Amino acid sequence: MEALQLTDVWPAENVAVSALSSEGELGRRGDPSRVFPWASVTKPVTALAALVAAEEGTIDLDQPAGPLGSTVRHLLAHASGLPFEPGPPISKPGVRRIYSNAGFDVLAETIAAEAEMPFEEYLRKAVLQPLQMDAKLRGSAGAGLRGSLEDLVQLMRELLSPTLVAPETFAEATSVQFPGLAGVIPDMGRFDPNDWGLGFELKDGKQPHFSGTLSSPRTFGHWGGTGTFVWVDPERALALGVLTDLQFGDWAKAAWPPFSDAVVREQT
């Protein structure tokens, strides 16, 4: 896929990228076995574990979790009122979209308590092993996964055609939760509304957006502070994933949208 060559001029020392369609992998570039820190691309993987736990009856999406009045659903949708880092809530649940790493740690603690096993073990059994991913969680359930492009490709395949949970569950996870909430995406800016699903960032009407201008409003995914991202456009049956070793910054804001658009153009 020629569009993937655009990553050759990125300032990162190491880049690994893959594009997939529903029919298979369209192309890849970079070392597929190199292990990268995924940062917040961890969140969709943790979200899948939460969805599995909900279907198994280990947790309920609407059970209390986190601050008073908050539920598992609030934590997954960044609507619990918890701040970015651990600390007391800075808003009532369901009022603002406050992006929160701390909320995902509370989510992991909730799952661990209900499942009676460490969250790392639950994640491995519920998601990583079934998807044949060698990625490992070290630290935060919101940002601590480390894995290779091979691992990311396995995740992308799952997001294109879910097998771990029922279609209805996945459709809910990639639909707006607590509609109408405004909020700030760190280093990206304020959006009103700032739509989010259950662990998945939703493009909807957001511009600028890391998935570019040509991906459909139904596009969902996540990006990470270590220069990583994954997005899936269900209307185009197209997924794109990137791992780098360069911290997110102005370079990524400038490079990612046109790169995503180039991939979409080549596929259509």
Side-chain angles (χ1 to χ4, degrees), residues 97 161 187 254:
R97 193 81 66 190
S161 183
D187 297 317

Side-chain angles (χ1 to χ4, degrees), residues 22-175:
S22 57
E23 297 179 354
E25 193 167 9
L26 301 170
R28 66 169 59 181
R29 204 159 181 84
D31 184 350
S33 62
R34 183 183 180 88
V35 173
F36 294 84
W38 287 18
S40 286
V41 175
T42 302
K43 288 182 174 69
V45 185
T46 291
L48 285 175
L51 298 176
V52 171
E55 284 200 345
E56 290 180 343
T58 300
I59 61 170
D60 189 293
L61 292 175
D62 296 309
Q63 76 179 65
L68 182 65
S70 172
T71 65
V72 168
R73 187 183 302 274
H74 284 97
L75 294 172
L76 281 164
H78 297 289
S80 69
L82 287 173
F84 182 80
E85 298 293 351
I90 55 178
S91 173
K92 292 182 179 179
V95 175
R96 293 164 54 197
R97 193 81 66 190
I98 302 171
Y99 186 85
S100 177
N101 277 342
F104 268 70
D105 290 332
V106 173
L107 170 68
E109 292 167 3
T110 302
I111 295 173
E114 297 290 352
E116 299 182 340
M117 70 174 68
F119 179 72
E120 292 85 351
E121 182 180 352
Y122 190 87
L123 181 71
R124 186 173 65 253
K125 292 181 176 180
V127 178
L128 302 180
Q129 286 181 348
L131 298 185
Q132 298 181 338
M133 294 171 63
D134 293 326
K136 293 178 174 57
L137 183 67
R138 295 290 182 264
S140 171
L145 205 63
R146 297 179 62 88
S148 67
L149 183 65
E150 291 284 4
D151 294 319
L152 189 62
V153 167
Q154 294 298 88
L155 174 65
M156 292 159 66
R157 288 194 179 108
E158 175 66 15
L159 299 182
L160 274 170
S161 183
T163 63
L164 297 178
V165 296
E168 299 80 9
T169 301
F170 194 75
E172 182 178 5
T174 53
S175 300

